[in-house]
Amino acid sequence: MVVRLARLGGLYYSCMMVGGLKTVQVKAGQEAELERLFAELRAEIRAHEPGCLLYSLLKSRAKPGAYIVYEQYRDQAALDAHQKSAHGANYFPRMRAIIEKIDVEYFDGVVD
């Protein structure tokens, strides 16, 4: 496997794609609010994060209040920028306040 490196500041980052999968259970009655906040956040991400390739919200057909957030970033530096973004600082706490449970896992890209 060939790993490409990019320099950002004084650090080197792998240029390997990074994907995230979040399984979310929202508090009862808060589904519309989560969907509204997510839509606003995604608009900010699209406007300010060129390294975010995909940021998607999927709603369960079988379990009320259950969602999956699927996100994909060009590389680790793009994920780091997302996690430290000003719009994230605004939206993440508001979303966490209405989430009952969240499981988060990140994956390294194999084939892009």
Side-chain angles (χ1 to χ4, degrees):
M1 172 170 51
V2 175
V3 177
R4 299 168 294 168
L5 296 178
R7 187 174 179 156
L8 182 64
L11 303 174
Y12 285 91
Y13 289 88
S14 166
C15 289
M16 185 183 309
M17 182 184 62
V18 177
L21 187 64
K22 298 174 182 167
T23 305
V24 175
Q25 181 64 47
V26 70
K27 293 176 182 175
Q30 295 296 319
E31 295 87 353
E33 180 66 1
L34 177 72
E35 292 172 19
R36 183 187 70 75
L37 290 170
F38 190 92
E40 290 177 9
L41 173 60
R42 188 173 66 181
E44 291 293 320
I45 290 168
R46 285 182 174 167
H48 303 289
E49 294 186 40
C52 181
L53 307 175
L54 176 69
Y55 202 75
S56 180
L57 182 66
L58 304 171
K59 185 176 185 175
S60 174
R61 291 180 174 181
K63 299 176 187 172
Y67 294 84
I68 290 177
V69 176
Y70 177 63
E71 51 196 298
Q72 191 173 343
Y73 301 90
R74 184 175 301 129
D75 52 27
Q76 183 63 47
L79 173 58
D80 293 345
H82 170 76
Q83 292 175 331
K84 296 175 184 173
S85 68
H87 46 272
N90 177 27
Y91 283 95
F92 297 156
R94 294 163 60 194
M95 294 170 89
R96 284 187 201 111
I98 61 172
I99 290 174
E100 185 174 296
K101 182 180 182 211
I102 186 168
D103 293 313
V104 179
E105 187 171 357
Y106 289 97
F107 301 83
D108 291 326
V110 177
V111 178
D112 60 0

